[in-house]
Amino acid sequence: MSTKQIVLEEQGLRDGFQTLPITIATQKKLQYIKLLEAAGIKRIQVTSFVHPKLVPQMADAEELCNQLEKKTDVIYSGLVLNLKGVERGIKAGLNHLACSISASDTHSQKNARLNLSEAKHAFKEMVKHSKQHSITVRGGIQCAFGCRYEGKIDENHVLDMVDHHLDTGIDELALADSTGMGNPKQLGALMHKVVEKAKNIPVVLHLHNTENKGYANLYAAIEAGVTIFDTAFGGLGGCPFIKSATGNIATEDSAHMIHQMGYETGLNISKIAEISRELEATLGYKLPGQLYQLIDNNEIKMI
């Protein structure tokens, strides 16, 4: 019997860097991508195609993609929030785009300047245009487990949005706990229903650790049948349009727990931890992740 494979998509380059107090140079980003590839990462969200005045850390999206030395066994994706972003992503040469809208009307207006009805219509147009250019589309639902502006997001509303996304012909479905408000019981129950609805469409889960429940939610989602997760090295991340948003679950911490549970990721945790320590030195402060600090201490035993 083969060991169950859990896939981690690295979000550090996009979600991780978009809220840093400094802008990471394009050449440095390219170096990080190479290091992540060497650590075994097979899916990397390299950038987002958003307005450079709103998210200046992503202003080099086209330059980064133009200089990217793509490996045939690695998926390189970009986040897009509107049709202009899709057009930019296609022109930049990416063949995998994450088209994403929010389950929260208030967050949608802050993040994409669209109300929920407008966002759902725009989503259909994004998918349609992407498909016309043979782009693999990951359809995302942000704030699926709670919103800092609106509070609880009704489960039936999220499931209706899942149906809406699936009807557009997306290739992958992604739900995001953008605010880190989800709890394991809630998340496990909803993801079980989502996996059943998606059938043969891969389901991805994007988890933030804002309330320190990210890893418990990871466990609950694995139990519900999810096998692809977004993570960020060192626990980087946060949305500039969500109050008090903090980082993603850390790639190395997640992989370590997954390995302890008897699953495989194909990742070299020590190499990922080295990347986090290098960035810590660059920034001059500790990152939210825990494991990269432990691995650097040779006296600490890991199991």
Side-chain angles (χ1 to χ4, degrees), residues 7 15 25 33 48 52 54 77 87 93 105 166 168 183 204 270 279:
V7 177
D15 198 330
I33 291 171
S48 60
L54 297 176
S77 70
E87 292 170 345
D105 185 79
L166 293 172
T168 65
N183 67 75
V204 187
S270 294
L279 182 61

Side-chain angles (χ1 to χ4, degrees), residues 1-299:
M1 184 176 177
S2 60
T3 303
K4 184 176 182 179
Q5 188 80 12
I6 303 296
V7 177
L8 302 184
E9 175 169 316
E10 179 57 53
Q11 296 270 318
L13 273 293
R14 196 277 305 173
D15 198 330
F17 287 176
Q18 70 181 3
T19 54
L20 290 182
I22 64 171
T23 298
I24 304 296
T26 305
Q27 290 303 314
K28 191 68 174 177
K29 290 180 181 179
L30 292 167
Q31 290 175 17
Y32 281 128
I33 291 171
K34 286 184 179 297
L35 291 171
L36 290 165
E37 291 168 345
I41 295 285
K42 298 298 182 184
R43 295 175 62 116
I44 307 173
Q45 190 165 101
V46 295
T47 191
S48 60
F49 296 92
V50 293
H51 200 296
K53 289 185 178 179
L54 297 176
V55 189
Q57 295 90 338
M58 299 292 112
D60 65 343
E62 280 83 1
E63 182 183 358
L64 176 71
C65 292
N66 288 337
Q67 296 187 47
L68 194 59
E69 295 180 11
K70 297 176 184 174
K71 293 183 176 294
T72 56
D73 62 342
V74 177
I75 294 172
Y76 305 92
S77 70
L79 176 69
V80 295
L81 301 177
N82 51 39
L83 189 57
K84 184 174 181 179
V86 171
E87 292 170 345
R88 288 177 60 195
I90 293 170
K91 191 173 181 180
L94 293 184
N95 55 19
H96 194 291
L97 294 177
C99 303
S100 188
I101 62 174
S102 182
S104 160
D105 185 79
T106 305
H107 176 244
S108 178
Q109 294 188 54
K110 290 179 178 292
N111 194 47
R113 308 298 187 265
L114 300 172
N115 64 39
L116 193 52
S117 178
E118 294 168 335
K120 289 169 77 173
H121 175 74
F123 182 85
K124 289 183 178 179
E125 294 301 309
M126 285 191 284
V127 175
K128 181 180 177 181
H129 191 70
S130 298
K131 288 301 192 178
Q132 289 173 344
H133 290 79
S134 301
I135 302 297
T136 298
V137 178
R138 164 177 150 161
I141 303 173
Q142 304 158 19
C143 295
F145 305 95
C147 173
R148 292 294 171 194
Y149 305 105
E150 297 183 5
K152 183 178 179 181
I153 300 295
D154 184 76
E155 179 183 278
N156 290 324
H157 169 60
V158 176
L159 291 172
D160 286 344
M161 289 194 69
V162 167
D163 289 334
H164 168 269
H165 275 33
L166 293 172
D167 287 345
T168 65
I170 57 175
D171 301 288
E172 299 175 349
L173 173 67
L175 269 67
D177 188 11
S178 313
T179 60
M181 294 168 71
N183 67 75
K185 184 176 180 180
Q186 166 206 18
L187 190 141
L190 178 54
M191 293 313 297
H192 180 75
K193 295 175 183 177
V194 170
V195 170
E196 282 191 339
K197 274 182 174 287
K199 296 179 182 177
N200 61 332
I201 301 295
V203 175
V204 187
L205 188 60
H206 181 101
L207 294 171
H208 282 256
N209 200 35
T210 312
E211 297 180 3
N212 209 30
K213 294 175 291 186
Y215 302 98
N217 289 338
L218 170 67
Y219 172 78
I222 291 175
E223 291 290 291
V226 180
T227 59
I228 309 174
F229 294 88
D230 289 345
T231 59
F233 64 90
L236 294 170
C239 176
F241 306 107
I242 296 177
K243 185 178 180 181
S244 302
T246 57
N248 294 257
I249 53 174
T251 303
E252 56 270 53
D253 299 49
S254 300
H256 179 57
M257 187 180 89
I258 289 166
H259 293 173
Q260 286 182 317
M261 291 167 61
Y263 304 128
E264 293 294 335
T265 65
L267 304 184
N268 184 317
I269 296 172
S270 294
K271 287 186 177 181
I272 297 170
E274 287 177 14
I275 302 171
S276 298
R277 287 196 296 274
E278 197 279 338
L279 182 61
E280 177 189 271
T282 298
L283 297 175
Y285 57 81
K286 289 190 179 300
L287 308 182
Q290 299 294 313
L291 204 72
Y292 83 93
Q293 301 172 58
L294 290 173
I295 290 177
D296 193 34
N297 186 338
N298 294 325
E299 295 179 0

